[in-house]
Amino acid sequence: MNPSSLFTPDPIDRHRFPPDAWGLRETRYDASDLGRTETLFAVANGYLGMRGNVEEGRDSFAHGTFINGFHETWPIRHAEEAYGFARVGQTIVNVPDSKIIRLYVDDEPLLLTVADLHQYERTLDFRDGVLRRDLIWQTPSGKTVRVRSRRMVSFTERHLAVMTYEVTLLDADAPIVLSSQMLNRQDGQDEYHVRAAAMGEGFDPRKAETLKNRVLVPSLHWAAGGRYVLGYRVADSGMTLAVAADHTIETENSFEERTLVEEDLAKHVYRIDAKQGKSITITKVVAYHSSRGVPAKELVDRCRRTLDRVAGEGVEYQFTEQRQWLDAFWARSDVEVPGQPELQQAIRWNLFQIAQATARAEGNGIPAKGLTGSGYSGHYFWDTEIYVLPFLTYTSPRIARNALRFRYTMLDSARERAAELNQNGALFPWRTINGEEASAYYAAGTAQYHIDADIAHAVKQYVAATGDLGFLAREAVDILVETARMWADLGFWRGQNGDATFHIHGVTGPDEYTTVVNDNLFTNVMARANLRGAVDAVDRLAQEDPGAHAALLERLRLTQDELDEFARAAERMAIPFDERLGIHPQDAQFLEKELWDLANTDPSKRPLLLYYHPLVIYRFQVLKQADVVLALFLQGDQFTAEEKLADFDYYDPLTTGDSTLSAVVQSIIASEVGYQELALRYFTSAAYVDLADLHHNTSDGVHVASLGGVWSALACGFGGMRDHEGVISLDPRLPEVWDGLTFRIALHGTRVRVDVRHTELRLTVEDGDQASLLVRGESVTVRSGDPVTVPLAPAPRLIGTPTVRDIEGSRRADGTVITASVPDHPALGVPPTGA
């Protein structure tokens, strides 16, 4: 990427969003970017998520309440059918919206878009996970009203959301109506009949599909004693859902209540004769329960138990428990950058959002948008294992284990998918909710076989960091062996005897602007690690748990001959390398193409995938996201320092950054090879991807992979952490403009705080006994109560940044010259490059 296209640090309107180390605060209501703020102020826990829509309901970009894995299925209709194409699509369902609490004063509604607001503040607090809003509204008749609200999705009670809404008349009496509602927005409409702004946008493959038929089929509905219940079955997937809400009111004013419950709407209305200074507080406690097919009536019983328990414990107890959960989260997960208040806020917002996407995802995967929006239809991708799992593995290993166990539950479906593609072993889907491949475009979907190696990588990383031999024996080894089988079967041998090499053809690597290629460097390097990992895991079980080893051999019908084949394929894996250019080609034919001149590409035609046919893009050396550079990070011990620098110099100018998966990896390798300023710019770009809406689609939900990548950029980029073959090493690259960096890593049950300064690195055990690691190649053991300080010499530093001009004019191995251009046609009104 041309570095000039990266913005300067802190691109946020600080008058509206002032710096706050422990929260995201908004001081002015603005309806122009509702999609972005609905995402930024969402609350979630990994199971249940609520977008940051205003309580009053009318003003919105896209209302959204989501349950992880709760989806509808629909037949994928291909223009031209072929065997093995994905057949059934999966789309997350917008479950009934319980956020709605409408306010009327003198029968005039509070509508923020037109309201006369004398004061406004909304805050998402990272320490207690509560979204608060405090405003003062002058009604059309001149009365002044204060409105305060709280909204929380509980980390401790997985199925629970709590909302409070307080109204106080400051200078007069008035009749007030408060209408608390639960509304099925997936199929129904509220009284405003407002079409979501999100529905008005054009083509964008990153968005969710629109379901035209009824999705939530009513099963039951009732109300009694301030409790409302709605139950549904999803039309085609057969999943079931119940949502129930309790209401209480606290006020010294006289009031009356009314009830309405229908199939798609439950409404509890309070009519209050409000007096000046006498507050009214409505508390709404909501429970959501879902299943793959249990009758909705049983789910209602589960909701009842949740609500009864909360009623007994009290609402404030739930807020206290939330704070305690987050205290523990920050104790093990916080990353501190002293002297950088704006960036500190962005870092903590990113980490908090990972918690919201993963904490209670038990039994489900981690959607690419978390539960903050419907982007990518709520699907799970390889993003989880490569970008999110490292953070979880080294800070919250229990949550990482849950995510990996979810992949294990999909193993049978992966075996079936492999067989459908004529392969042995298992092939995990590129995008899915229920375990079946849901990508209709196989070239940039199914062909991404590397997902098998990505999952294997995360499995190996987790086991090495935790020493969880039980997980290895029961689940992880099955994943490693079955994915290795797929590689051994997919690849083939070329050459004779000792000169034979193992090749993998017809695949797509992480870069989706280059598809269905031979010997993709990333795929081959990761497949090699996958094959070796399977052999090592089986050998380890043979030594440490002979019983589990014997059971494994019988369960998977695994033989020594097959393991020997895994080892031989790994040893002889084809790794593309061009001697003339001194780089690793992204694939066997990549260097035959000409360069796409990104510097002279019309900025309005970005991302390229929205303005150019795939075939146009595929004919050029141009990357959507880091591919070879990602391999340099994940398998860094397989490359020399000189190779890393040469590869980075070549590929960085060709990388568009059209994917949010790219900047963090580019930052990490830029740090390692010495481009300190460029590394910081890439990192800053990643930190603000959603906060500043840099990719113009934050309205569809947060970019969970980028969130996780921010931690990796901090710990692995500037902190220099690597974890090759279970050995943790540190080689810091602190930016010159930073005073320091502090992060935590958990190793075999011991939590170590890493404090990086320009001249030293300090290791302190915060929890546990001791840990051993390498610091710039030297072995260090740190013990509880005995911190270790290691002096640091200055790291290498390179001036400038790589550009396409550094590559243009180079000669390929066959002697031809590499040229750069932009594939725009003059007839379309776009001047040719250089005009």
Side-chain angles (χ1 to χ4, degrees), residues 347 350-351 354 383-392 630 633 660-668 682-687 689 703-718:
I347 291 167
N350 278 263
L351 300 183
I354 304 176
D383 310 12
T384 297
E385 282 73 23
I386 296 302
Y387 292 89
V388 183
L389 261 294
F391 168 73
L392 298 177
L630 180 57
F633 169 45
T660 58
L661 301 181
S662 204
V664 290
V665 177
Q666 290 168 280
S667 177
I668 291 168
Y682 276 131
F683 169 75
T684 307
S685 174
V689 157
H703 296 82
V704 173
S706 182
L707 304 173
V710 164
W711 183 86
S712 291
L714 288 161
C716 303
F718 305 131

Side-chain angles (χ1 to χ4, degrees), residues 690-712:
D690 289 314
L691 285 168
D693 197 13
L694 299 183
H695 283 244
H696 311 296
N697 63 348
T698 298
S699 57
D700 298 327
V702 299
H703 296 82
V704 173
S706 182
L707 304 173
V710 164
W711 183 86
S712 291

